[in-house]
Amino acid sequence: MRACCADNVEFVPPDERPVVRGIDALVEHVRSFTAAWPTDTRVSLARPAEFHHGWARGILRFEFPDRKAQGTEIARIEGGKLVTVVVFSDPVPAP
C-alpha cells in the first residue's frame, strides 16, 4: 500500500461509511472490511484500467462463493501514487 498510495490518501466508500483518511487508516479499513471474506473470493478487473490527466478508472468484479458484485473506482494520482479513491457500487451485469 505504501508503494502505491500517498501518506494522506483519501478513500471514499460507496455507502454511508465515513471517508477513510491516511494510509494507516486505509490499511486497517481494508483489513477489517475483507476479514470475513471467504478465502476463495476472487477480485479482478472487468477490463483494463483507464488513465487520463492524473485520473484513473477501474471496474472491479468480486466473485464470492454465493454471489457476485461489481464496483467502479475513480482515483486521482499525483507523483505516481493514489491520492483519492472514490468507489461506486454497480449493478452486476447479466451473464
Side-chain angles (χ1 to χ4, degrees):
M1 290 284 255
R2 292 193 189 285
C4 66
C5 294
D7 288 340
N8 62 341
V9 64
E10 287 189 323
F11 178 85
V12 183
D15 50 30
E16 297 305 316
R17 288 175 287 162
V19 173
V20 177
R21 291 185 171 87
I23 196 160
D24 292 331
L26 180 56
V27 167
E28 181 53 35
H29 169 77
V30 171
R31 182 177 300 139
S32 65
F33 185 71
T34 61
W37 287 10
T39 56
D40 57 346
T41 298
R42 295 184 348 198
V43 180
S44 62
L45 283 171
R47 63 179 191 225
E50 300 171 273
F51 301 88
H52 91 74
H53 295 92
W55 291 87
R57 175 175 69 171
I59 300 172
L60 299 175
R61 288 193 179 144
F62 302 86
E63 294 181 42
F64 299 92
D66 61 341
R67 64 186 166 84
K68 294 182 180 182
Q70 183 170 298
T72 299
E73 298 196 4
I74 308 293
R76 186 166 55 96
I77 302 168
E78 291 181 1
K81 294 195 173 192
L82 297 170
V83 176
T84 305
V85 179
V86 180
V87 179
F88 296 87
S89 292
D90 300 335
V92 177

